[in-house]
Amino acid sequence: MLSSDTMRGYNDTIILSLLLEEPSYGYEIAKRIKERSNNKYVMKETTLYSAFTRLEKHDYICSFQQGKTMGRRRTYYEITAKGRNYFDQKHQEWLLTQEVVNQFITDNRL
């Protein structure tokens, strides 16, 4: 299982990548993160909702109410055009990060 410290800098990008596919709500996003990581990363609810607040504050996502669960309307999140641009920047940053880190962490220690 990956530590939340390792993943902290990538949480927003992970959430945005899922929202690129379709609008979704918190529980479903958390479930998809767990499934796609083959249970190696579980995003805590507080981490997820803190990220939603931060992303919405920067206009990277917007929220809307839809459907009902146990009498309450669900809050869905959707990526904005600004969020798509931010995701593209973070994707390029990730590629560069991999390139740099791979220069130091290799299998040549054997």
Side-chain angles (χ1 to χ4, degrees):
M1 174 99 45
L2 290 168
S3 74
S4 48
D5 284 342
T6 301
M7 298 300 292
R8 183 174 294 129
Y10 305 103
N11 287 332
D12 292 358
T13 308
I14 290 169
I15 292 167
L16 291 174
S17 74
L18 293 172
L19 293 177
L20 280 169
E21 297 170 7
E22 64 182 335
S24 194
Y25 56 97
Y27 174 78
E28 182 64 28
I29 290 170
K31 186 172 128 187
R32 287 168 58 200
I33 290 168
K34 183 178 178 182
E35 287 171 357
R36 284 225 189 142
S37 71
N38 296 317
N39 297 322
K40 292 179 182 134
Y41 182 53
V42 176
M43 190 178 293
K44 295 177 185 172
E45 189 174 322
T46 54
T47 301
L48 184 64
Y49 285 96
S50 292
F52 288 153
T53 300
R54 182 175 50 257
L55 291 166
E56 202 161 21
K57 177 182 172 188
H58 292 292
D59 297 321
Y60 298 147
I61 63 172
C62 60
S63 60
F64 59 95
Q65 302 289 312
Q66 183 174 318
K68 282 192 177 185
T69 304
M70 294 185 281
R72 297 186 336 182
R73 294 182 73 74
R74 254 192 201 135
T75 301
Y76 279 73
Y77 298 91
E78 182 173 43
I79 192 166
T80 63
K82 189 173 178 183
R84 289 174 194 276
N85 290 333
Y86 180 69
F87 174 81
D88 290 342
Q89 291 170 13
K90 297 306 280 182
H91 180 246
Q92 291 303 312
E93 182 181 295
W94 167 247
L95 295 174
L96 181 59
T97 300
Q98 281 183 296
E99 182 182 324
V100 170
V101 172
N102 283 339
Q103 297 302 313
F104 298 95
I105 302 175
T106 64
D107 289 334
N108 65 0
R109 59 189 165 96
L110 301 174

